[in-house]
Amino acid sequence: MRVVRSQIASHLGCLYFTAPDLFWELVEYYVASEPNPTLLVDTLHTLRRVPVEHAVRVAALAEQILNRTPITAERNDVREACMHVFCSFTLHANDTTSAAILDGFINDPITYTHDVHRLLLDLSVEYTATEIAVRERAFNLTQRSLTAIIAAIHSIEAANEGVTPGVTPWPLDAQKQFGGLLR
């Protein structure tokens, strides 16, 4: 049964033009109920290719998946696929829902270090986009992300100002946060 669900999820996009109602029904099922991360990633990859006129609906569906996906220290393919969707629809559709979600990550780079890292990688692909508006949005998001990261780094440094390097190391949490932001 899992193999069948996997085949359906990976070929879901084929239904977009031929059976749109079934397409959206299956997408909504996967978004709401699917526990398998691989199938969620396949669904998100399909959603990323949906035409921009559905940006609001796609962003809401990707947000549902994101909300049921925990933040983990290690790599998380589902969260990364969500970031691909939000970045794509922010840049190419100027979608306000996707942009607001990205703003939440950008405004808290300590909590969302991996998500902001993924965002910066996704944005780097768009620096050479042929559409001027897409390029401008990519550079704007990059600038805002880097500014927030630098502010967070300064905040960690200020909180540990009295600590003497080589004598007393920073607390482990501060070291991890600082290292994550530098990456």
Side-chain angles (χ1 to χ4, degrees), residues 132-163:
I132 293 171
V134 170
R135 257 195 337 259
E136 287 175 352
R137 287 185 203 114
F139 279 115
N140 181 290
L141 281 170
T142 300
Q143 184 268 329
R144 290 180 38 235
S145 298
L146 294 176
T147 300
I149 289 169
I150 291 167
I153 286 172
H154 289 311
S155 172
I156 293 169
E157 288 173 332
N160 293 285
E161 189 175 320
V163 178

Short mmCIF file of all heavy atoms in Angstrom, two decimals, residues 132-163:
data_model
loop_
_atom_site.label_atom_id
_atom_site.label_comp_id
_atom_site.label_asym_id
_atom_site.label_seq_id
_atom_site.Cartn_x
_atom_site.Cartn_y
_atom_site.Cartn_z
N ILE A 132 13.24 41.01 -13.45
CA ILE A 132 13.85 41.99 -12.53
C ILE A 132 13.17 41.93 -11.16
O ILE A 132 13.84 41.98 -10.12
CB ILE A 132 13.79 43.41 -13.13
CG1 ILE A 132 14.70 43.47 -14.36
CG2 ILE A 132 14.19 44.46 -12.11
CD1 ILE A 132 14.57 44.73 -15.17
N ALA A 133 11.84 41.83 -11.12
CA ALA A 133 11.12 41.81 -9.84
C ALA A 133 11.53 40.61 -9.00
O ALA A 133 11.67 40.73 -7.77
CB ALA A 133 9.62 41.80 -10.09
N VAL A 134 11.74 39.47 -9.62
CA VAL A 134 12.16 38.26 -8.89
C VAL A 134 13.56 38.47 -8.32
O VAL A 134 13.81 38.17 -7.14
CB VAL A 134 12.12 37.02 -9.81
CG1 VAL A 134 12.77 35.81 -9.15
CG2 VAL A 134 10.69 36.71 -10.21
N ARG A 135 14.46 39.00 -9.13
CA ARG A 135 15.83 39.28 -8.66
C ARG A 135 15.81 40.26 -7.49
O ARG A 135 16.50 40.06 -6.49
CB ARG A 135 16.67 39.86 -9.80
CG ARG A 135 17.61 38.90 -10.42
CD ARG A 135 18.69 39.52 -11.28
NE ARG A 135 18.43 40.83 -11.82
CZ ARG A 135 18.05 41.08 -13.08
NH1 ARG A 135 17.85 40.09 -13.91
NH2 ARG A 135 17.88 42.31 -13.49
N GLU A 136 15.03 41.33 -7.62
CA GLU A 136 14.96 42.33 -6.56
C GLU A 136 14.42 41.74 -5.26
O GLU A 136 14.93 42.02 -4.17
CB GLU A 136 14.11 43.52 -6.99
CG GLU A 136 14.79 44.40 -8.01
CD GLU A 136 13.90 45.52 -8.54
OE1 GLU A 136 12.67 45.55 -8.23
OE2 GLU A 136 14.42 46.38 -9.27
N ARG A 137 13.38 40.92 -5.36
CA ARG A 137 12.84 40.27 -4.16
C ARG A 137 13.88 39.34 -3.53
O ARG A 137 14.01 39.26 -2.30
CB ARG A 137 11.57 39.49 -4.49
CG ARG A 137 10.37 40.37 -4.76
CD ARG A 137 9.09 39.53 -4.98
NE ARG A 137 8.13 40.30 -5.73
CZ ARG A 137 7.70 40.03 -6.95
NH1 ARG A 137 8.12 38.94 -7.58
NH2 ARG A 137 6.83 40.81 -7.56
N ALA A 138 14.62 38.61 -4.37
CA ALA A 138 15.65 37.70 -3.86
C ALA A 138 16.74 38.47 -3.11
O ALA A 138 17.14 38.08 -2.00
CB ALA A 138 16.26 36.88 -5.00
N PHE A 139 17.20 39.55 -3.69
CA PHE A 139 18.23 40.35 -3.03
C PHE A 139 17.69 41.01 -1.76
O PHE A 139 18.39 41.08 -0.75
CB PHE A 139 18.82 41.40 -3.98
CG PHE A 139 19.87 40.84 -4.90
CD1 PHE A 139 19.66 40.80 -6.27
CD2 PHE A 139 21.07 40.35 -4.41
CE1 PHE A 139 20.61 40.28 -7.13
CE2 PHE A 139 22.04 39.83 -5.25
CZ PHE A 139 21.81 39.80 -6.62
N ASN A 140 16.45 41.46 -1.79
CA ASN A 140 15.84 42.08 -0.62
C ASN A 140 15.74 41.07 0.53
O ASN A 140 16.09 41.39 1.68
CB ASN A 140 14.47 42.65 -0.98
CG ASN A 140 13.81 43.33 0.19
OD1 ASN A 140 13.39 42.68 1.15
ND2 ASN A 140 13.69 44.64 0.11
N LEU A 141 15.24 39.87 0.25
CA LEU A 141 15.13 38.84 1.28
C LEU A 141 16.51 38.43 1.80
O LEU A 141 16.68 38.18 3.00
CB LEU A 141 14.40 37.61 0.74
CG LEU A 141 12.88 37.72 0.68
CD1 LEU A 141 12.29 36.54 -0.08
CD2 LEU A 141 12.27 37.80 2.06
N THR A 142 17.49 38.38 0.93
CA THR A 142 18.85 38.04 1.35
C THR A 142 19.39 39.11 2.29
O THR A 142 19.94 38.79 3.35
CB THR A 142 19.78 37.89 0.13
OG1 THR A 142 19.29 36.85 -0.72
CG2 THR A 142 21.21 37.57 0.55
N GLN A 143 19.21 40.35 1.92
CA GLN A 143 19.69 41.46 2.75
C GLN A 143 19.02 41.44 4.12
O GLN A 143 19.68 41.56 5.15
CB GLN A 143 19.43 42.80 2.03
CG GLN A 143 19.98 44.02 2.74
CD GLN A 143 18.95 44.66 3.66
OE1 GLN A 143 17.76 44.61 3.41
NE2 GLN A 143 19.43 45.25 4.73
N ARG A 144 17.71 41.22 4.14
CA ARG A 144 16.98 41.18 5.41
C ARG A 144 17.42 39.98 6.26
O ARG A 144 17.56 40.10 7.48
CB ARG A 144 15.48 41.14 5.15
CG ARG A 144 14.98 42.48 4.61
CD ARG A 144 13.49 42.55 4.33
NE ARG A 144 12.67 41.86 5.28
CZ ARG A 144 11.78 40.91 4.97
NH1 ARG A 144 11.59 40.56 3.71
NH2 ARG A 144 11.07 40.32 5.89
N SER A 145 17.65 38.85 5.61
CA SER A 145 18.09 37.66 6.33
C SER A 145 19.47 37.87 6.95
O SER A 145 19.70 37.56 8.12
CB SER A 145 18.14 36.44 5.40
OG SER A 145 16.87 36.15 4.89
N LEU A 146 20.39 38.38 6.15
CA LEU A 146 21.75 38.61 6.66
C LEU A 146 21.77 39.66 7.76
O LEU A 146 22.50 39.51 8.75
CB LEU A 146 22.68 39.00 5.51
CG LEU A 146 22.92 37.89 4.48
CD1 LEU A 146 23.78 38.41 3.33
CD2 LEU A 146 23.54 36.67 5.11
N THR A 147 20.96 40.69 7.63
CA THR A 147 20.87 41.72 8.68
C THR A 147 20.36 41.10 9.98
O THR A 147 20.90 41.38 11.06
CB THR A 147 19.94 42.87 8.23
OG1 THR A 147 20.49 43.46 7.04
CG2 THR A 147 19.80 43.92 9.31
N ALA A 148 19.35 40.25 9.90
CA ALA A 148 18.81 39.59 11.09
C ALA A 148 19.84 38.63 11.71
O ALA A 148 19.96 38.54 12.93
CB ALA A 148 17.53 38.84 10.75
N ILE A 149 20.57 37.93 10.86
CA ILE A 149 21.60 37.00 11.36
C ILE A 149 22.70 37.77 12.08
O ILE A 149 23.13 37.40 13.18
CB ILE A 149 22.17 36.15 10.21
CG1 ILE A 149 21.12 35.14 9.74
CG2 ILE A 149 23.46 35.44 10.63
CD1 ILE A 149 21.48 34.43 8.44
N ILE A 150 23.15 38.85 11.48
CA ILE A 150 24.21 39.67 12.09
C ILE A 150 23.73 40.25 13.42
O ILE A 150 24.47 40.24 14.42
CB ILE A 150 24.67 40.78 11.13
CG1 ILE A 150 25.42 40.15 9.95
CG2 ILE A 150 25.54 41.82 11.84
CD1 ILE A 150 25.66 41.08 8.78
N ALA A 151 22.49 40.71 13.49
CA ALA A 151 21.93 41.24 14.73
C ALA A 151 21.88 40.14 15.80
O ALA A 151 22.19 40.39 16.97
CB ALA A 151 20.55 41.82 14.50
N ALA A 152 21.50 38.93 15.41
CA ALA A 152 21.45 37.82 16.36
C ALA A 152 22.85 37.46 16.85
O ALA A 152 23.04 37.17 18.04
CB ALA A 152 20.78 36.61 15.71
N ILE A 153 23.83 37.50 15.97
CA ILE A 153 25.22 37.23 16.36
C ILE A 153 25.68 38.27 17.37
O ILE A 153 26.28 37.93 18.41
CB ILE A 153 26.14 37.19 15.12
CG1 ILE A 153 25.91 35.90 14.33
CG2 ILE A 153 27.61 37.33 15.52
CD1 ILE A 153 26.61 35.84 12.99
N HIS A 154 25.40 39.54 17.10
CA HIS A 154 25.78 40.61 18.03
C HIS A 154 25.07 40.45 19.37
O HIS A 154 25.66 40.72 20.42
CB HIS A 154 25.49 41.99 17.43
CG HIS A 154 26.40 42.37 16.31
ND1 HIS A 154 27.78 42.26 16.37
CD2 HIS A 154 26.13 42.85 15.07
CE1 HIS A 154 28.32 42.66 15.24
NE2 HIS A 154 27.33 43.02 14.42
N SER A 155 23.84 39.98 19.34
CA SER A 155 23.08 39.76 20.57
C SER A 155 23.73 38.66 21.42
O SER A 155 23.84 38.80 22.64
CB SER A 155 21.64 39.37 20.21
OG SER A 155 20.93 38.98 21.35
N ILE A 156 24.15 37.59 20.78
CA ILE A 156 24.81 36.50 21.51
C ILE A 156 26.15 36.98 22.07
O ILE A 156 26.50 36.69 23.22
CB ILE A 156 25.00 35.26 20.60
CG1 ILE A 156 23.65 34.65 20.24
CG2 ILE A 156 25.90 34.22 21.27
CD1 ILE A 156 23.71 33.60 19.16
N GLU A 157 26.89 37.75 21.27
CA GLU A 157 28.16 38.28 21.75
C GLU A 157 27.96 39.21 22.95
O GLU A 157 28.69 39.12 23.94
CB GLU A 157 28.87 39.05 20.63
CG GLU A 157 29.42 38.17 19.53
CD GLU A 157 29.97 38.96 18.36
OE1 GLU A 157 29.50 40.08 18.08
OE2 GLU A 157 30.89 38.43 17.70
N ALA A 158 26.94 40.06 22.88
CA ALA A 158 26.66 40.99 23.99
C ALA A 158 26.24 40.24 25.25
O ALA A 158 26.64 40.61 26.37
CB ALA A 158 25.57 41.97 23.58
N ALA A 159 25.47 39.18 25.08
CA ALA A 159 25.03 38.40 26.24
C ALA A 159 26.18 37.66 26.91
O ALA A 159 26.10 37.30 28.09
CB ALA A 159 23.95 37.40 25.82
N ASN A 160 27.25 37.44 26.18
CA ASN A 160 28.41 36.72 26.71
C ASN A 160 29.64 37.61 26.81
O ASN A 160 30.77 37.12 26.79
CB ASN A 160 28.69 35.49 25.84
CG ASN A 160 27.59 34.48 25.92
OD1 ASN A 160 27.48 33.77 26.92
ND2 ASN A 160 26.73 34.43 24.92
N GLU A 161 29.42 38.90 26.94
CA GLU A 161 30.50 39.88 26.92
C GLU A 161 31.51 39.68 28.06
O GLU A 161 32.70 39.84 27.88
CB GLU A 161 29.92 41.30 27.01
CG GLU A 161 30.94 42.38 26.78
CD GLU A 161 30.28 43.73 26.75
OE1 GLU A 161 29.19 43.86 26.18
OE2 GLU A 161 30.87 44.66 27.31
N GLY A 162 31.04 39.30 29.24
CA GLY A 162 31.93 39.16 30.38
C GLY A 162 32.74 37.88 30.39
O GLY A 162 33.63 37.70 31.21
N VAL A 163 32.46 36.99 29.47
CA VAL A 163 33.16 35.71 29.41
C VAL A 163 34.52 35.92 28.75
O VAL A 163 34.62 36.49 27.67
CB VAL A 163 32.32 34.67 28.63
CG1 VAL A 163 33.06 33.35 28.54
CG2 VAL A 163 30.97 34.48 29.29
#
